[in-house]
């Protein structure tokens, strides 16, 4: 059963060494991510599923990686439970996940799940394991003229719909997000969000939206879903 989920974004500037002088701009976001992960661990799961996008669908993601492409020599270790060779290199969501989890205990067992856009993948939660899910994904990258995807008037309503869905644990609304519109708005979280929607369907959750801003013209959300018993 999926007893808890946390949704966080994966901008490289979450890492202060990358953000450098701009690091204080995202202190509130970092704090929200910390709170969300605290709640995941407090839920008492046996297994932590880490869901992020990548070039293909895989459960074999390299346990270590680095932020060298972002100009810093920082390496991270995800401490996944098991990985077979050859493994997929850590894409950005898994680098950020490893960084966010860097000081956390290795219990619950960590299992990476890489999904490719725009396909979905329902993770089996119909078992006796208590599972939690860390879901990494950014919203529309078209909120302002300076955004990576430039300005698109549809971006703000799109992100507002995502925020409402996350705040209400509305799995249907997440599942119904339009893949083509998401592509046009340069959304980086569609596939992970749809995995969450499919995996959490049929369970009632107490949901809270902890963060909903677009500091660099990209929608970033932090939310938690905790199962009702």
């Amino acid at each position: 059963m999926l007893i808890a989920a946390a949704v966080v974004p994966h901008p490289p500037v979450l890492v202060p060494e990358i953000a450098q002088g701009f690091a204080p701009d995202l202190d509130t976001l970092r704090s929200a991510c910390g709170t969300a992960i605290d709640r995941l661990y407090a839920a008492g799961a046996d297994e932590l599923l880490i869901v992020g996008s990548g070039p293909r669908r895989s459960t074999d993601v390299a346990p270590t990686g680095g932020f060298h492409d972002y100009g810093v020599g920082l390496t991270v270790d995800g401490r996944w439970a098991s990985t077979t060779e050859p493994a997929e290199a850590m894409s950005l969501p898994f680098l950020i996940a490893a960084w966010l989890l860097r000081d956390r205990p290795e219990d619950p067992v960590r299992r990476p799940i890489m999904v490719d856009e725009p396909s979905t993948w329902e993770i089996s939660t119909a078992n006796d394991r208590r599972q939690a899910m860390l879901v990494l994904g950014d919203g529309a990258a078209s909120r302002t003229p300076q955004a990576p995807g430039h300005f698109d008037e549809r971006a703000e309503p799109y992100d507002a719909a995502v925020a409402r869905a996350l705040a209400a644990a509305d799995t249907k609304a997440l599942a119904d997000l339009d893949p083509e519109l998401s592509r046009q708005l340069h959304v980086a979280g569609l596939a992970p969000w749809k995995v969450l929607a499919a995996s959490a369907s049929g369970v009632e959750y107490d949901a809270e939206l902890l963060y909903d801003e677009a500091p660099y013209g990209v929608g970033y959300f932090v939310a938690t879903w905790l199962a009702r018993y």
Side-chain angles (χ1 to χ4, degrees):
M1 176 182 176
L2 187 67
I3 64 169
V7 175
V8 301
H10 55 69
V13 288
L14 263 181
V15 180
E17 292 91 333
I18 296 175
Q20 297 186 11
F22 295 97
D25 294 350
L26 294 184
D27 281 348
T28 302
L29 174 56
R30 293 186 193 95
S31 177
C33 290
T35 297
I37 293 171
D38 284 344
R39 292 179 183 179
L40 279 188
Y41 274 82
D46 303 315
E47 188 174 62
L48 176 58
L49 308 176
I50 299 161
V51 183
S53 59
R56 57 186 56 82
R57 193 166 99 168
S58 178
T59 56
D60 292 322
V61 178
T64 58
F67 290 94
H68 306 90
D69 289 345
Y70 301 94
V72 297
L74 177 65
T75 59
V76 288
D77 185 349
R79 293 176 289 168
W80 316 142
S82 62
T83 304
T84 60
E85 296 293 341
E88 295 294 331
M90 277 188 174
S91 58
L92 178 59
F94 295 95
L95 290 171
I96 292 298
W99 182 80
L100 288 171
L101 296 171
R102 65 197 182 283
D103 296 324
R104 304 286 178 162
E106 293 185 47
D107 184 22
V109 171
R110 302 177 186 179
R111 300 195 186 281
I113 298 171
M114 181 181 287
V115 292
D116 54 341
E117 302 281 5
S119 68
T120 61
W121 188 0
E122 181 177 354
I123 308 305
S124 175
T125 55
N127 52 57
D128 58 1
R129 293 188 302 251
R130 292 166 56 85
Q131 294 172 310
M133 188 176 285
L134 176 59
V135 182
L136 295 106
D138 297 349
S142 304
R143 294 279 293 270
T144 66
Q146 295 77 30
H150 307 295
F151 177 73
D152 189 313
E153 64 183 6
R154 300 171 296 174
E156 188 170 352
Y158 178 99
D159 280 350
V162 174
R164 288 193 299 271
L166 294 176
D170 188 340
T171 57
K172 183 179 186 304
L174 285 181
D176 287 346
L177 289 170
D178 184 351
E180 179 57 24
L181 177 59
S182 302
R183 184 191 66 78
Q184 293 174 10
L185 297 177
H186 307 277
V187 174
L190 180 63
W193 297 337
K194 289 204 171 191
V195 168
L196 170 62
S199 304
S201 179
V203 179
E204 291 189 351
Y205 295 90
D206 291 318
E208 184 176 359
L209 184 66
L210 301 172
Y211 187 94
D212 171 20
E213 300 290 343
Y216 300 120
V218 182
Y220 299 148
F221 313 100
V222 179
T224 57
W225 295 5
L226 302 176
R228 297 174 186 164
Y229 294 102

